[in-house]
């Protein structure tokens, strides 16, 4: 276990100019005292780890020291070839680059590990889009992806409702969610830092398939050092989910209705509703308060539960289901005769 930690420590120092003992301890999940001992062990083994003293000090590698990839274990090598979604790389125009990278990594591996790419590909395939969906690759995605890689500003046309607007954007990152591509970008605010100087504006999310044109700028922008794309997306996705669930419906569910609820409505809404329900009644039915997008959407979703759900409120939604029941009864009586 220590050997693996020492290798990881070398790789961390190889990928950054310098790291403090606290940073290394956090990454390796050990104490700072252990980091001191590990650095000494590496130095004694011939790895040129140098410790800078003082408040701004830390550990670094000297002399351009580089380790080799032949230290990869089989599971690590196979995991490396699963680090991207093949379809996503193709959509962004990075399929050739990814293929070349895999070939270079394979050539650097020990002979016993060079089948890792084939072994991983035969066992795992990542298919991001949802079922019954045939997503189309947005035409402008490769151009936007290139701007993201280069930290290059773009001037973009964007469909907002029936209108088209033009925006200057600093493209920070791309997200593929359920087969749909999104751009997380900052909108610079002109003049905030003085005449002719753009200041940092808000971060926003755009659907790639709504871009109508993209013109890369000649200048690049300076990324915010602390920007965390996964964290930003998780926060915005949570805000979006909460924003669309503006209404509530109080319903009674049979045991079968409880089981099927997460498949009929948003799973997070189902978890929230079932987590706050009381004890079942004598028939095993429970009463829950369900967050819903609207009366219209709730009617469409809960209809799929049939007789396993009874709507108690709002009254207008209950009336809809009562009307459905009357019409269904009449329909089946008519066909039976």
């Amino acid at each position: 276990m220590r050997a693996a930690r020492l290798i990881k420590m070398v790789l961390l120092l190889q990928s950054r100019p310098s790291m403090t003992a606290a940073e290394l301890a956090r990454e390796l999940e050990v104490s700072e005292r252990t980091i001191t001992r590990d650095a000494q062990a590496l130095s004694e083994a011939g790895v040129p780890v140098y410790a800078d003293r003082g408040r701004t000090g830390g550990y670094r590698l000297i002399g351009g020291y580089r380790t080799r990839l032949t230290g990869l274990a089989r599971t690590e090598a196979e995991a490396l070839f699963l680090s991207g979604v093949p379809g996503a790389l193709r959509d962004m125009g990075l399929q050739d680059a990814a293929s070349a990278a895999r070939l270079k990594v394979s050539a650097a591996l020990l002979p016993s590990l060079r089948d890792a790419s084939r072994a991983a590909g035969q066992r795992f395939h990542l298919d991001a889009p949802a079922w019954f969906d045939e997503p189309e690759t947005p035409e402008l995605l490769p151009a936007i992806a290139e701007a993201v890689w280069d930290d290059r500003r773009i001037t973009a046309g964007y469909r907002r409702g029936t209108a088209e607007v033009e925006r200057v954007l600093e493209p920070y990152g791309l997200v593929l969610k359920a087969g749909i591509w999104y751009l997380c970008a900052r909108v610079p605010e002109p003049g905030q830092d003085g005449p002719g100087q753009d200041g940092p504006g808000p971060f926003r999310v755009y659907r790639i398939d709504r871009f109508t044109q993209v013109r890369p700028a000649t200048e690049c922008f300076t990324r915010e050092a602390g920007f965390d794309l996964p964290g930003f997306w998780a926060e915005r996705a949570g805000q979006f989910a909460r924003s669309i669930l503006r209404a509530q419906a109080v319903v009674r569910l049979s045991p079968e209705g409880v089981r099927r609820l997460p498949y009929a409505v948003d799973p997070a809404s189902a978890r929230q509703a079932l987590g706050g329900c009381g004890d079942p009644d004598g028939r095993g039915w429970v009463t829950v308060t369900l967050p819903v997008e609207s009366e219209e959407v709730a009617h469409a979703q809960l209809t799929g539960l049939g007789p396993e759900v009874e709507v108690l409120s709002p009254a207008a939604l209950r009336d809809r289901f009562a009307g459905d029941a009357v019409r269904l009864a009449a329909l089946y009586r008519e066909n039976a005769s």
Side-chain angles (χ1 to χ4, degrees), residues 42-226:
L42 288 171
S43 181
E44 292 173 352
V47 178
V49 177
Y50 181 79
D52 291 314
R53 306 295 180 183
R55 292 178 56 190
T56 60
Y59 291 95
R60 60 186 175 89
L61 294 174
I62 60 175
Y65 180 85
R66 307 289 293 179
T67 187
R68 297 179 180 272
L69 283 173
T70 50
L72 286 175
R74 169 168 290 278
T75 54
E76 295 169 337
E78 290 173 348
L80 179 64
F81 291 103
L82 289 173
S83 58
V85 180
L89 293 172
R90 181 182 61 250
D91 291 348
M92 290 187 291
L94 299 175
Q95 187 175 22
D96 291 342
S99 177
R102 291 191 189 96
L103 287 173
K104 290 178 180 179
V105 172
S106 295
L109 291 173
L110 290 170
S112 60
L113 300 180
R114 287 176 185 167
D115 66 337
S117 175
R118 183 177 60 85
Q122 289 175 341
R123 288 164 175 79
F124 302 98
H125 176 67
L126 305 178
D127 187 8
W131 284 105
F132 312 115
D133 189 18
E134 294 294 336
E136 295 184 2
T137 302
E139 181 180 350
L140 296 174
L141 177 60
I144 295 174
E146 184 175 355
V148 170
W149 277 115
D150 294 340
D151 293 338
R152 190 174 302 279
R153 283 186 177 181
I154 60 174
T155 300
Y158 189 76
R159 290 195 308 274
R160 189 177 298 280
T162 58
E164 181 177 331
V165 297
E166 187 172 272
R167 292 284 186 270
V168 175
L169 302 174
E170 295 177 349
Y172 267 65
L174 290 167
V175 175
L176 177 61
K177 172 70 172 180
I180 299 176
W181 284 96
Y182 296 89
L183 173 67
C184 302
R186 169 170 268 174
V187 183
E189 295 184 349
Q192 183 171 303
D193 293 343
Q197 298 293 319
D198 291 340
F203 284 100
R204 294 177 181 166
V205 177
Y206 300 87
R207 278 185 59 147
I208 299 295
D209 57 8
R210 292 180 183 170
F211 283 100
T212 58
Q213 58 176 320
V214 172
R215 299 194 305 276
T218 56
E219 75 275 9
C220 296
F221 64 91
T222 302
R223 294 177 66 91
E224 182 179 309

Side-chain angles (χ1 to χ4, degrees), residues 234-246:
E235 180 183 355
R236 288 302 175 92
Q239 290 176 356
F240 175 74
R242 291 189 295 271
S243 69
I244 65 173
L245 300 176
R246 301 182 296 269

Side-chain angles (χ1 to χ4, degrees), residues 249-286:
V250 180
V251 301
R252 292 178 67 240
L253 295 165
S254 70
E256 177 64 13
V258 169
R259 187 188 69 80
R260 290 166 49 186
L261 184 66
Y263 304 99
V265 303
D266 176 70
S269 300
R271 287 195 298 270
Q272 180 179 335
L274 295 174
C277 69
D279 295 331
D281 62 17
R283 298 170 52 204
W285 287 57
V286 296

